[in-house]
Amino acid sequence: TGGTITTISAPATTVKPTNVQDNSILVEKDTANRYWFDAEITNTPTYETNFSTNTGWTTVGSGVSVTGGELKGNAFSSSGDNRTHYDLGSINDTAWVMKFEYTPTSSTSGAYYMPIALTAGSNALNGSYDAIRLYIDMGSYTSFWRSKDGSTEGSTGTTYNLTAGTKYYYTVTNNNKTLTSVARTGSHTGTTVSTGTTTIQSGVTGLTHIQSGASSFNAGTNTYSIDNLEFYNGVTSVITPATWVDGCNNSVTSTGTLG
């Protein structure tokens, strides 16, 4: 209400204009079919934090906590149960996007930790329950994503060797159990340094928490930081593209320009 509706008449075509205002109506002159325009929108995160507060985050053990405006791992042992976690509620099994900034600082040879993980419950990161985890395997900062269905580990995703002191901007997408991870430097639209995929096991369901910390095996000492975390539940893109919707609420092709 209170807006302006623009009506466009055009021949029937699979190509619809997108350079029109939201809520425009398109009427095909030869078929009289009508379509309603939904403009592109940026989705609102289900959860986002710049870690200026530790509200909702629970620390287990020592050395991993929200402090000083970041989630920090501070010279903690990767062989102990040292971690922090946050309850996101019910996470969609097949559709979500997560963005965060990760800076590895130092880690001793043989260490094994998980700077970001989604887990079913808040138990130890090496527990026998469903999870999707970013692994860091020392000694060469080898990073990869892998799911876990109960006690069964899934396949290792694409590996990439990180560099200490470099900030990486991650965008991770679950699209129908295909996990795609893009890491960039400079910003989330900066230089792409790694793009990898892995298949999430079909039995991985009921994830609820985001965690960060020790693997509880492979001794080593680790320091890193996480910042500016965003989680989008139930979508496969931060942007919902513009689309034309017909009278049955079906989306139709939305490309091209008018005039």
Side-chain angles (χ1 to χ4, degrees), residues 171-257:
T171 301
V172 187
T173 305
N174 173 7
N175 187 348
N176 198 28
K177 296 285 189 175
T178 295
L179 190 77
T180 302
S181 172
V182 180
R184 296 180 174 91
T185 55
S187 70
H188 280 294
T189 58
T191 302
T192 299
V193 295
S194 173
T195 299
T197 61
T198 189
T199 299
I200 301 170
Q201 295 150 287
S202 60
V204 174
T205 60
L207 304 183
T208 56
H209 284 68
I210 187 164
Q211 299 208 48
S212 180
S215 64
S216 299
F217 59 89
N218 283 41
T221 302
N222 314 279
T223 298
Y224 65 86
S225 64
I226 299 285
D227 204 359
N228 295 319
L229 171 68
E230 300 175 9
F231 190 83
Y232 301 79
N233 199 27
V235 298
T236 56
S237 176
V238 172
I239 301 294
T240 297
T243 187
W244 288 94
V245 180
D246 66 16
C248 297
N249 206 34
N250 296 314
S251 295
V252 296
T253 303
S254 177
T255 58
T257 57

Side-chain angles (χ1 to χ4, degrees), residues 9 50 68 102 110 123 165 183 211 253:
S9 295
N50 62 3
Y102 164 58
N123 295 317
Q211 299 208 48
T253 303

Side-chain angles (χ1 to χ4, degrees), residues 12 25 67 94 129 177 206 246:
I25 296 174
T67 182
T94 59
Y129 55 90
K177 296 285 189 175
D246 66 16

